[in-house]
Amino acid sequence: MTATSSPHTYTIKEAAALTGLPASTLRYYESVGVIAPVGRGETSMHRVYTDGDMNLLVGVACLAATGMSVSDMRRYVANGALGAAAADEQIQLLEERAERLAAEARLIKIRQQYVKIKIEFWRATAAGDDTEVARLTAAARDLAQKIKPVK
Amino acid sequence: MTATSSPHTYTIKEAAALTGLPASTLRYYESVGVIAPVGRGETSMHRVYTDGDMNLLVGVACLAATGMSVSDMRRYVANGALGAAAADEQIQLLEERAERLAAEARLIKIRQQYVKIKIEFWRATAAGDDTEVARLTAAARDLAQKIKPVK
DNA sequence: GTAAAAACTTCAAGTACTTTAAGTCAACGG
DNA sequence: CCGTTGACTTAAAGTACTTGAAGTTTTTAC
């Protein structure tokens, strides 16, 4: 490795591009304590993101994408600093995410079926095929019944 | 119940599941005038969604999914652009929605993998298995790369 | 039947960003 | 050196839901 360090740093714009989070959201997460205050430029007030910051932020972006709340993200990140001691709680937070994702996947399948039926419905409507329109309307209604067992 | 009539109506919960919009959002859209006030039960105050309401709402859900603002949705619906006469446009919207749902399903699978890896990561951390921790850290990073382009 | 549970209602307050306003700082052309 | 362009800063206001509380109604279970 060359020399002491490759202290590669990123501007907020680069950090936004790499995490997929808007710059405004990065500032927001910092302001509400999801992440610790980021370092600033010597002369300017501009935020300077390190590789370590970027690693953390990529993880935070993933959690945000699973719908984790800001307060849970705050907990999760704080626990991350604690290391192995907090493993149990981390696992619990993650298992809640897994459950939510599974439920979401089930609903998406139903919606895909529903959208498919509706496309056929509008084609039949445009074609003036009243019989088919009635059949598809009933099919859509049947799909509603499938929702109940999902609970 | 005798089969004299098939009312083809939906509760707010069914409407929510089929449109993909939460019940609270359906009420909200009604309150801010994106959709006209929905019919109510004879004896109760409960909303009763007809097939016509559902067709409109599915269209609205498509618009919402593409990030259209509430004020634009209001104007769009008021213009009748989501009426029965606009079957072609409905189909166009629904096909975009089908694509979006497919993309969402893919994304959810990736997120499920990410959460799974993170759970394993914390289990390995708790067990002090440094080799496994390193492997899972790398796996999480690889997966993060897959998520970026989708967003 | 009656009684508990689940689903619905409104309204107010909360959440998670997002945008806007007003200003600072750094780089480039003239 | 000076002006202008553009990225950055904070703070406050705005947007689009979301949740909670308190109270009906409908469904379920005995």
Side-chain angles (χ1 to χ4, degrees):
Chain A
M1 293 308 145
T2 54
T4 49
S5 61
S6 55
H8 192 192
T9 60
Y10 307 79
T11 66
I12 196 169
K13 201 177 188 185
E14 289 168 334
L18 290 174
T19 60
L21 299 170
S24 60
T25 301
L26 295 180
R27 282 191 283 260
Y28 172 70
Y29 280 174
E30 194 180 328
S31 77
V32 297
V34 167
I35 58 169
V38 173
R40 301 306 183 102
E42 282 291 304
T43 94
S44 72
M45 284 278 89
H46 297 189
R47 285 168 181 81
V48 175
Y49 293 85
T50 66
D51 280 316
D53 291 333
M54 293 307 297
N55 271 334
L56 182 60
L57 281 175
V58 168
V60 167
C62 289
L63 297 179
T66 71
M68 185 179 277
S69 72
V70 162
S71 63
D72 280 354
M73 285 194 278
R74 193 163 30 214
R75 279 190 80 72
Y76 184 90
V77 171
N79 285 344
L82 271 49
D88 281 356
E89 188 169 1
Q90 299 297 73
I91 289 168
Q92 197 191 319
L93 285 169
L94 289 165
E95 277 174 349
E96 281 168 28
R97 290 299 97 212
E99 235 175 87
R100 185 197 140 126
L101 285 171
E104 233 173 279
R106 274 195 301 277
L107 274 174
I108 281 180
K109 273 186 187 132
I110 290 174
R111 272 171 221 152
Q112 285 179 317
Q113 283 179 264
Y114 191 74
V115 167
K116 187 163 176 280
I117 287 169
K118 281 298 163 190
I119 287 172
E120 289 169 26
F121 168 87
W122 286 108
R123 282 204 223 284
T125 299
D129 184 345
D130 292 349
T131 310
E132 186 69 352
V133 166
R135 190 185 72 75
L136 291 165
T137 300
R141 211 222 169 303
D142 286 347
L143 202 53
Q145 305 308 306
K146 292 194 80 170
I147 295 156
K148 287 169 184 170
V150 175
K151 201 257 167 183
Chain B
M1 72 168 106
T2 57
T4 50
S5 68
S6 314
H8 298 94
T9 61
Y10 305 79
T11 66
I12 196 169
K13 200 178 188 184
E14 290 169 332
L18 291 175
T19 60
L21 300 169
S24 59
T25 301
L26 295 179
R27 288 191 205 97
Y28 171 71
Y29 280 175
E30 195 179 327
S31 78
V32 297
V34 168
I35 58 169
V38 173
R40 302 302 184 103
E42 278 294 303
T43 91
S44 72
M45 286 276 88
H46 296 190
R47 285 169 179 81
V48 175
Y49 293 86
T50 65
D51 278 313
D53 290 332
M54 292 306 296
N55 283 333
L56 181 62
L57 280 175
V58 169
V60 168
C62 293
L63 300 180
T66 67
M68 185 180 279
S69 73
V70 161
S71 61
D72 282 353
M73 284 194 277
R74 190 163 32 217
R75 207 170 39 242
Y76 197 87
V77 172
N79 288 345
L82 286 176
D88 281 355
E89 198 163 348
Q90 295 278 42
I91 290 168
Q92 171 85 34
L93 244 30
L94 286 165
E95 278 173 348
E96 282 168 24
R97 186 91 201 285
E99 262 175 61
R100 195 168 259 267
L101 282 171
E104 234 174 281
R106 270 195 304 278
L107 200 46
I108 281 179
K109 274 188 186 130
I110 290 171
R111 285 175 195 156
Q112 285 178 319
Q113 280 179 266
Y114 183 83
V115 169
K116 186 163 174 281
I117 286 170
K118 278 297 174 189
I119 287 172
E120 286 170 27
F121 167 86
W122 284 106
R123 284 204 218 285
T125 298
D129 185 345
D130 291 348
T131 310
E132 187 70 351
V133 165
R135 191 184 70 77
L136 291 165
T137 300
R141 186 162 318 177
D142 286 349
L143 207 52
Q145 302 308 306
K146 285 204 78 174
I147 294 171
K148 267 192 302 175
V150 184
K151 201 275 172 184

